[in-house]
Amino acid sequence: MSEPVVVQGTTVASPYDHGVAVQSGSAPISDDFTKGSKQEVRCRDPIFALLLYANVGAICGVVGAYGTAAFEKAFGDANSTVDWAPYLYAAAVTGIFSMVLAGIMFLVMMRIPQFLIKTSLIFVVILSGVWCVIAFVGGNIIGGIIGAVFFALMMCYARAVWSRIPFATCNLVTAMTAVKLNCGVVFASYFFLLLAFGWSILWTIALVGIWDDTITCVVNEAGQNVCTEVNYGILFGMFVSYFFTHQVIQNTIHVTVAGVVGKYCKCTYVYI
């Protein structure tokens, strides 16, 4: 077994009774400390839950009212001036690519958690430096200056956090160990990933339907195709809807995995 990693920090006493004496120089236990208890399972954000259901229901309603007709017109009408098929294909390809990339990154995290944080940080620093060099070589002075600023910032950031990387690495190794011993959480994560993919497809159909219904294009006397102005308020609401639902799905995955890892760390001693 390798030597334990020494991490900078201040010794603090645990508020729990582990049957060991507190070392001298440690912070004293607070007199008003109260040990936590198991919380009841209930919905703690009913307002945002209702907003989520209303959001998904509204998008489904838009798809039923406008989306299907727009795609039937695009795919079935040979005289249609707008081809909506590429938008749907782009959403599908992006979703499939994200699932494949997520799988690859998960395998990388499972294989080399000890080196992943340092490797990622070094990669970002090198990439920012390469961006700066390419910009200057290509004659883009402004881009080179911006790249140099980001490169300097990344160098300063790397130097500031380098001594804390061993602690973060230990946390990552512990978390990946918990995931390995609780593989069901992987299937749960992929379920939510597929849910996010389906949401992207549904939202794209709704957006295409709204766009087709609100935008009218005519050919003027000069033979040019002139379209009405875009309703930016509707577009803004659609993008908020898309972002909000994806954040809910992302945070659901986060708290699920965090709960599994937290329960594992509470019930098991892990030696790294």
Side-chain angles (χ1 to χ4, degrees):
M1 183 178 296
S2 60
E3 293 295 326
V5 179
V6 179
V7 184
Q8 295 179 359
T10 304
T11 304
V12 235
S14 172
Y16 302 101
D17 183 13
H18 295 289
V20 294
V22 179
Q23 297 178 356
S24 59
S26 301
I29 301 176
S30 176
D31 294 334
D32 58 352
F33 172 77
T34 303
K35 185 177 181 180
S37 58
K38 181 177 177 57
Q39 301 296 312
E40 61 177 332
V41 179
R42 63 184 179 88
C43 179
R44 302 183 183 277
D45 296 302
I47 296 178
F48 286 99
L50 292 175
L51 285 176
L52 174 66
Y53 297 144
N55 174 40
V56 175
I59 294 298
C60 291
V62 171
V63 169
Y66 303 106
T68 54
F71 274 98
E72 288 176 1
K73 178 181 177 182
F75 287 101
D77 188 1
N79 298 322
S80 177
T81 57
V82 180
D83 184 11
W84 296 112
Y87 296 94
L88 183 60
Y89 294 150
V93 170
T94 304
I96 295 173
F97 177 77
S98 65
M99 288 189 290
V100 173
L101 184 62
I104 294 174
M105 293 307 300
F106 177 73
L107 292 176
V108 171
M109 289 181 64
M110 294 285 284
R111 297 296 297 177
I112 54 168
Q114 298 89 346
F115 313 105
L116 188 61
I117 297 179
K118 282 188 177 181
T119 303
S120 301
L121 184 59
I122 293 173
F123 176 76
V124 172
V125 173
I126 293 176
L127 196 63
S128 61
V130 170
W131 171 28
C132 173
V133 172
I134 291 177
F136 279 121
V137 171
N140 188 350
I141 305 301
I142 296 179
I145 294 174
I146 295 175
V149 171
F150 274 98
F151 178 70
L153 290 175
M154 289 307 304
M155 290 288 291
C156 294
Y157 173 76
R159 187 178 185 280
V161 303
W162 193 262
S163 61
R164 296 175 174 85
I165 290 180
F167 177 72
T169 300
C170 291
N171 286 335
L172 179 60
V173 172
T174 304
M176 296 311 300
T177 304
V179 171
K180 288 179 182 179
L181 298 178
N182 300 272
C183 291
V185 74
V186 178
F187 297 102
S189 299
Y190 263 94
F191 168 77
F192 285 109
L193 186 61
L194 290 172
L195 193 65
F197 173 66
W199 167 252
S200 296
I201 297 295
L202 185 70
W203 181 86
T204 303
I205 297 175
L207 180 64
V208 168
I210 290 178
W211 189 282
D212 186 69
D213 185 72
T214 57
I215 303 298
T216 303
C217 297
V218 295
V219 179
N220 59 14
E221 297 178 354
Q224 298 176 340
N225 195 22
V226 180
C227 299
T228 56
E229 287 292 331
V230 179
N231 191 325
Y232 292 102
I234 295 178
L235 285 181
F236 177 77
M238 288 294 295
F239 285 118
V240 170
S241 169
Y242 181 80
F243 178 77
F244 172 68
T245 305
H246 268 289
Q247 286 300 301
V248 171
I249 296 173
Q250 176 182 330
N251 288 329
T252 303
I253 299 174
H254 175 78
V255 297
T256 302
V257 176
V260 170
V261 174
K263 186 176 181 180
Y264 170 80
C265 294
K266 180 179 179 182
C267 302
T268 311
Y269 291 98
V270 182
Y271 296 94
I272 303 174

